[in-house]
Amino acid sequence: MRRTEQVILTNMCMIEDGDKVVVQNRVDGWHGMSFPGGHVEKGEPFTDAVIREVFEETGLTIMNPTLCGIKDWYIEKDIRYIVLLYKTTAYKGTLRSSDEGEVFWARKEELSALPLADSMAEMLKVFKEDSFSEVFAHEECGTWLYDFK
């Protein structure tokens, strides 16, 4: 049995300020509301990647991002896609939108009413609930199923 596989590494960060969080209305291939984030570059430490991505997409410099979980699934038979999920309450700068989508502050209690990007509702469980640290997505008979660990 092979112990290695191809992996695509990405990240996402929930930036909290009291009862509000930064939300991004994505305009790339994954449409809808999500938290800012993006790809980890080859050789880049994971924490550096989330700090860089958040800055590129929001203009905010985050500090002390804490890894709170992961989402993973296979995009092809042998290629795993992993999203490292971070949280932080420490940031500086002025919020600004980017080519990746409009960013704004939203109340946490209103998140579920927003037009969320696919699987964002499942990721919110990992961000919000300490009892989960992973959501593994898998497709069965054309339907995506989510296992929480």
Side-chain angles (χ1 to χ4, degrees), residues 43-144:
E44 184 178 36
F46 296 151
T47 302
D48 292 354
V50 73
I51 292 169
R52 176 186 53 76
E53 283 288 347
V54 167
F55 179 75
E56 289 174 1
E57 296 181 6
T58 70
L60 300 178
T61 300
I62 60 171
M63 285 86 67
N64 307 318
T66 301
L67 185 65
C68 63
I70 63 170
K71 176 190 176 200
D72 58 315
W73 71 99
Y74 286 87
I75 60 171
E76 293 180 22
K77 182 180 180 221
D78 294 325
I79 302 175
R80 185 182 290 225
Y81 199 106
I82 299 174
V83 184
L84 303 166
L85 307 176
Y86 288 87
K87 291 184 198 180
T88 190
T89 58
Y91 66 91
K92 62 182 178 180
T94 303
L95 191 65
R96 60 152 175 76
S97 297
S98 72
D99 293 344
E100 306 236 5
E102 177 189 4
V103 291
F104 57 94
W105 291 99
R107 294 175 55 86
K108 290 179 192 176
E109 63 194 34
E110 298 171 346
L111 285 175
S112 60
L114 295 174
L116 298 174
D118 289 342
S119 75
M120 187 62 193
E122 288 74 24
M123 284 187 280
L124 283 175
K125 289 182 184 180
V126 177
F127 280 111
K128 292 178 173 181
E129 299 178 30
D130 291 337
S131 58
F132 300 123
S133 62
E134 178 182 6
V135 57
F136 178 74
H138 55 98
E139 193 174 9
E140 287 185 19
C141 301
T143 300
W144 281 99

